[in-house]
Amino acid sequence: MHTKLTNSTRFSALKLSRLATCCILFFLLCMYDAAWSQHNICQGSIKHYAVDTAENAGLGTTGSIYNWNISGVGFIGSMTPTVVGATNAVTIDWRQTPPGNYTVTVQETTTSGCTNLKVLQVIINPFPIVYLNDLVACIDPISGVWLNTETLQTGLSSSMYSFVWQFDNGTGNITLPNTSSSIRVTAVGLYTVTATNLVTGCQASDTATVTESSAPQATVVVENPFETIQTIIVTITSGVGSYEYSIDGTNFQDSPIFTVTDPGNYTVVVRDKFYCGETKIAVNVIGYPTFFTPNGDGYNDTWNIIGLPNASKAKLYIFDRYGKLIKQLLPSSSGWDGTYNGIPIISTDYWFTLEYYDSANQPQTFKSHFTLKR
């Protein structure tokens, strides 16, 4: 006996068939959920997500369309198909998306009109924040021995992170045995630490450069003594630092050369920019006034040699234009007041001879002239 199918019966059968098909597909998706388990990732990760990879040579259910979506505040990244022409797999570059909870959803629409939604909760964990400061080790400028103990600090807890230290002195990178959050450094080079969060597995690295520096040892020469413009030149004789220079103890410069127009006694300071020490050197810029005005007003009332080293050992002779000795005095005294035997003499040019010992304690003689004005 045959049963005649009415339109209503055919429609109900079709609905049951589609429902059965959707249930089977939903069951297959649910079976795949257990393997789709990338829930915890690290900030900046690039991850691949896929469904129905066992079907159609990995391209998903034939004819199905898969629509992907990411929800969550602050997503900064990109989502692209993993395989061109297939929608069942995507690659998500999370880039600088901030740590937090995000939801990845994929909805499949089959050729029979069934829709199936799959949801994945993604937790983005932050990187460890690790920062190493570059170090400068102070050494003895002669022996090269380190003067202080230097330590690189990560600032992280050993109970929460594991650490791998590496060292490169220019000949190759080696892994150090130290596994703590800090390390005592004993040589110059590049130190790299990788910190890994013991819970999330997220890791970050940083590198510090360890260099050496020292206090300077230096010598100073003065070019063109007695001239209106003289030059102080500093020469480093020992030391490995980066140095700066001053002749007043306040204003420092990178150049070791100074141009001076005022004679006198100076103190050259040479100091290391990384605070490993300094040296001070006394310098004599020798000069004399080209004129003086002994009129009792308190300005330029006497004449003398300025900035003379070993002034107590020097002798100064002053002559008139005819070679007559007018005054013999010590440069260490207050100077000549423009008198001869206590009597003021006329305004004119006078000559002098200076016998002195330079900074190297070598005897020298210098002759020139100046003007007395009234």
Side-chain angles (χ1 to χ4, degrees), residues 20 77 177 191 203 268 321 343 373-374:
Y191 290 80
Q203 61 181 214
V268 172
R321 69 176 63 186
I343 300 174
K373 297 181 179 179
R374 293 193 185 276

Side-chain angles (χ1 to χ4, degrees), residues 65-81:
I65 301 298
Y66 300 86
N67 292 309
W68 295 80
N69 184 59
I70 300 172
S71 61
V73 178
F75 173 70
I76 304 173
S78 63
M79 181 169 58
T80 56

